[in-house]
Amino acid sequence: MLNIAFIAHDRKKDEMVNFVTAYEPVFKEHKLYSTGTTGSRIMERTELTINRFMSGPLGGDQQIGAMVATNEMDLIIFLRDPLMAQPHEPDINALLRLCDVQGIPLATNIATAELLVKALQRGDFAWRELVHKYKPE
Ligand SMILES: O=C(CO)COP(=O)(O)O
């Protein structure tokens, strides 16, 4: 079981809900996290249980970033809005940076998200199970 996070900016939330709904059987095998509003929207439309953090502008990206920093997060689907300025852009950049620090698979658009979920179905994330297994206490 992997830790997977969903984050979507406002104009990408419908796309996120459609995406997660389409792959609900895949995602239900994992432990799911999200920023506040994204998680509410997904839970309205699916049977999935999602651990919701704060809304993005209130620190949700940072809370997910904390899990990335400790190498606990395995996959992040972050549907960003590239055409709209966000008040919490420093938080967003910090999260993306930490994904690169730890080498965490991160999709920032739906095309990459599709490829990563197919890799997940195929078992390509097995190396992340090993990261958890051999994580120093
Ligand atoms: O702003 C966000 C990520 O940067 C998303 O936050 P919400 O899911 O609470 O809308």
Side-chain angles (χ1 to χ4, degrees):
M1 184 185 293
L2 300 176
N3 293 327
I4 300 175
F6 303 113
I7 314 169
H9 287 153
D10 285 351
R11 298 193 305 177
K12 298 286 180 178
K13 282 188 171 67
D14 287 344
E15 196 174 38
M16 178 65 96
V17 169
N18 290 339
F19 172 76
V20 178
T21 304
Y23 292 104
E24 184 169 348
V26 181
F27 291 127
K28 84 170 184 352
E29 304 300 323
H30 300 283
K31 187 153 187 199
L32 306 175
Y33 297 86
S34 74
T35 46
T37 320
T38 302
S40 301
R41 290 285 310 278
I42 295 170
M43 284 199 285
E44 278 166 20
R45 289 275 302 274
T46 67
E47 300 290 311
L48 298 170
T49 301
I50 301 189
N51 301 282
R52 290 167 56 240
F53 286 119
M54 303 297 287
S55 184
L58 299 180
D61 302 77
Q62 296 268 291
Q63 290 179 295
I64 291 172
M67 287 187 68
V68 175
T70 51
N71 209 357
E72 290 166 87
M73 197 57 83
D74 299 301
L75 165 62
I76 297 184
I77 311 285
F78 187 172
L79 299 184
R80 291 193 298 157
D81 186 347
L83 301 177
M84 178 83 78
Q86 303 292 328
H88 55 304
E89 195 185 335
D91 296 15
I92 295 165
N93 288 338
L95 173 59
L96 303 182
R97 178 183 166 276
L98 284 173
C99 287
D100 288 344
V101 169
Q102 291 287 6
I104 302 305
L106 162 75
T108 56
N109 62 65
I110 198 72
T112 312
E114 290 273 352
L115 293 172
L116 288 185
V117 78
K118 291 200 161 63
L120 181 65
Q121 283 178 295
R122 218 169 48 181
D124 289 356
F125 278 70
W127 62 280
R128 287 296 309 174
E129 306 273 8
L130 293 176
V131 168
H132 293 302
K133 189 170 172 190
Y134 295 109
K135 193 166 185 252
E137 291 304 320

